[in-house]
Amino acid sequence: IMVRRRVYILILLSICFIACCYKGPYTSYGSIRQKIRSFSKITENYELIDTTTLYKLDAIQEYTHYNLTEKRVSFYEKDDAHYYPYTQYFKFYSNGKLGVFFIPKRDTLFLKREMFNPEKAIMGYYYIKGNDIKIKTAGIINCYLYVFKEKGKIKNDTITLMLGNSIEEIYKKKTIPKELLEGWEPDW
């Protein structure tokens, strides 16, 4: 009876664990396509974002402390070159949708059209007001759907997003051949 009880408990725990994991829709490439709420407001300044090109993660800055002598926050800039084996690109679409692409660094010199198929992207939305930008993307953390929200600023061809209170991601416009991006429409 004791062994049977343990087996039942293990089976119940297994069912509970399996039932808790995200089981929503995916693309044929494994990207999540669970419906998340887009921004209810309409973007005012689409002209600040170039929807015909990409924005590449250029650097990550981490603020370390407030420098009393210089009366400013000191930070170090972490070059993305050795931090992660992928390069992150944002593709903004004119309808307030955003695709996030992770391309292996070894492939960034030889970008191909198929790399920017929206079915391979992490789905997201963006909203612009003035020079401020808000971004939402969907991801899975510990088997659960999570909506990541970030805020930032747009200045010329650079987007700076704040991650928490001490880390910034800096994205710079990257001009690539238009043929790589033409004709793609997001599937969310």
Side-chain angles (χ1 to χ4, degrees), residues 2 17 35 40-41 43-44 46 48 51 59 63 65 76-77 93 95 97 111 120 142 171-172 176 178 180:
M2 198 66 154
F17 178 73
K35 188 171 184 148
S40 58
K41 300 173 185 171
T43 290
E44 297 174 357
Y46 276 121
L48 291 179
T51 58
Y63 296 99
H65 67 282
Y76 72 89
E77 190 168 316
Y93 299 94
N95 55 6
K97 295 180 180 181
L111 295 175
K120 293 181 176 182
N142 296 329
Y171 294 84
K172 295 206 175 187
I176 64 169
K178 290 185 179 187
L180 298 180

Side-chain angles (χ1 to χ4, degrees), residues 15-28:
I15 290 170
C16 287
F17 178 73
I18 292 169
C20 291
C21 281
Y22 173 78
K23 297 218 183 316
Y26 290 92
T27 68
S28 59

Side-chain angles (χ1 to χ4, degrees), residues 4-5 12 25 57 68 80 83 93 112 126 132 154 158 177:
R4 193 180 299 168
R5 181 178 285 164
L12 284 173
L57 178 61
L68 293 172
D80 194 39
Y83 179 67
Y93 299 94
K112 296 178 182 154
Y126 69 98
D132 296 332
I154 301 170
T158 303

